[in-house]
Amino acid sequence: MMPTTLRCFSPRGAAAPTLRLLLAALLGAPLAPVSAAPPGCSGVAPSGELIATRVPGTAPASAEAGLYEGPVWIGDALYFSHFTFGPGFPSRILRLGPDGKLGTAIDDSGSNGLAVDARGNIVAGTHKFKGVSRFDLVSGKRSLVAGAYQGKVFNSPNDIAIGADGTIYFTDPSFQRAAAPGGQDATRVYRVAPGGKVTVVDGGLANPNGIALSPAGDMLYVSGGGGGGERGVLRAYSLVRGAPGKGRDLVSGLAVPDGMSVDCLGNLYVTEHTAQRLRVFSPAGKELAVIKVDANITNAAFGGADGKTLFMTGAGALWQIRLDLPGKPY
């Protein structure tokens, strides 16, 4: 069953953003982000400097180096990937239940970033299979959603966003390319149509990483670029009937940008891996807040009974912080 927080991201009223985008394209006018809050969304975005705390009992059982990644809230539990840096980047999906106990939900998943589809299944970027996979949470059975582009497998699908119509957008950097043979000649952002056709959203962003959709579903956001330092960007793409336009840099100077999430007002929660922080930006790209952690950070998602707890994954660490408004569960 889908979490109640998803109601903030209902496609109702989508006709207005679509008309706005079409008029902007016809008139050549600059695109302004949608500011209206979706039905049922209330609260105030975080501001200033905040500090997240570690979730008790979630440290890895092994001292082997690795990362927690791709948090997603489903029902009453948090799911996330745990992969290590051994040959093939072994990975599994963990579950943090309402009782605070951590256990394995899916073993040998080969996964990185996670999302949840309309049926409550996990959709994952799976570096082991060099494709996008779907996992049935009851049986654990895996099926392949997208496994190739122009006859070649992907590099290492990383993060996922899913539109209201089932369209899947994902990033394909080269970070875990060595997990299995083969790959693409470039790192790209891809779109998988409901019928399964794979097309390129952006082929000019080096190592795209985090990806998310606006609450209205009319904007796609991707972070990436550069190999380190203050060279990363947050790029925005307008969507008309699910088809992305040319991207524009909304925020620049990010320090190794990684995954992200979105609150119900459309504010963006972007992790900066080695800077050990998450920064919150308005839909216009204005910095609103900084949330600090005590290790390298990878991704973020909203969860909890009211959807107002922000969970963050990182280098063998899971953090949480209470906020005043709900957001997207992955």
Side-chain angles (χ1 to χ4, degrees):
M1 184 173 181
M2 293 292 288
T4 56
T5 51
L6 281 181
R7 285 181 288 188
C8 288
F9 295 85
S10 168
R12 288 176 295 178
T18 299
L19 179 60
R20 179 183 66 89
L21 293 167
L22 289 171
L23 287 173
L26 290 171
L27 298 174
L31 180 66
V34 175
S35 58
C41 177
S42 63
V44 178
S47 62
E49 185 174 298
L50 306 170
I51 297 176
T53 59
R54 293 202 180 205
V55 179
T58 58
S62 169
E64 186 179 6
L67 294 175
Y68 288 168
E69 252 286 11
V72 56
W73 185 267
I74 304 176
D76 61 356
L78 184 76
Y79 296 80
F80 56 95
S81 295
H82 176 209
F83 70 86
T84 63
F85 301 128
F89 300 92
S91 180
R92 56 183 176 152
I93 296 176
L94 301 178
R95 178 184 184 271
L96 179 67
D99 57 0
K101 293 183 178 180
L102 187 65
T104 299
I106 299 175
D107 201 13
D108 194 23
S109 60
S111 61
N112 194 310
L114 309 178
V116 57
D117 68 14
R119 295 185 177 181
N121 299 309
I122 284 180
V123 178
T126 44
H127 48 254
K128 176 178 180 178
F129 306 105
K130 287 189 173 285
V132 175
S133 300
R134 178 177 281 110
F135 292 93
D136 184 301
L137 277 182
V138 177
S139 66
K141 183 179 179 181
R142 185 188 72 89
S143 58
L144 190 64
V145 176
Y149 173 69
Q150 293 186 341
K152 295 181 180 179
V153 295
F154 299 105
N155 294 312
S156 57
N158 187 289
D159 210 358
I160 309 284
I162 306 177
D165 65 348
T167 297
I168 295 172
Y169 306 89
F170 72 96
T171 55
D172 186 39
S174 60
F175 302 133
Q176 287 81 46
R177 180 183 169 118
Q184 295 287 323
D185 57 359
T187 59
R188 303 184 181 97
V189 182
Y190 293 95
R191 175 183 185 268
V192 185
K197 183 179 180 180
V198 178
T199 54
V200 174
V201 173
D202 194 333
L205 182 60
N207 280 322
N209 200 327
I211 192 166
L213 286 162
S214 64
D218 62 342
M219 297 292 293
L220 178 71
Y221 301 101
V222 177
S223 64
E230 303 289 331
R231 300 188 303 231
V233 300
L234 173 62
R235 189 165 291 178
Y237 310 77
S238 62
L239 297 175
V240 179
R241 300 188 189 92
K246 184 179 180 181
R248 61 185 179 89
D249 290 349
L250 188 66
V251 178
S252 59
L254 294 173
V256 194
D258 209 317
M260 71 177 90
S261 191
V262 180
D263 68 27
C264 64
L265 293 175
N267 301 308
L268 296 139
Y269 294 65
V270 183
T271 64
E272 292 176 280
H273 187 79
T274 53
Q276 300 184 1
R277 69 187 179 195
L278 176 150
R279 281 202 276 172
V280 184
F281 298 97
S282 74
K286 178 183 177 181
E287 183 176 319
L288 302 177
V290 177
I291 301 175
K292 292 189 173 182
V293 295
D294 60 357
N296 288 356
I297 185 171
T298 59
N299 218 323
F302 286 83
D306 59 2
K308 294 182 180 181
T309 298
L310 184 69
F311 292 97
M312 291 154 281
T313 52
L318 178 68
W319 302 272
Q320 64 184 357
I321 188 169
R322 287 289 294 168
L323 299 176
D324 188 53
L325 74 177
K328 202 168 181 68
Y330 64 88

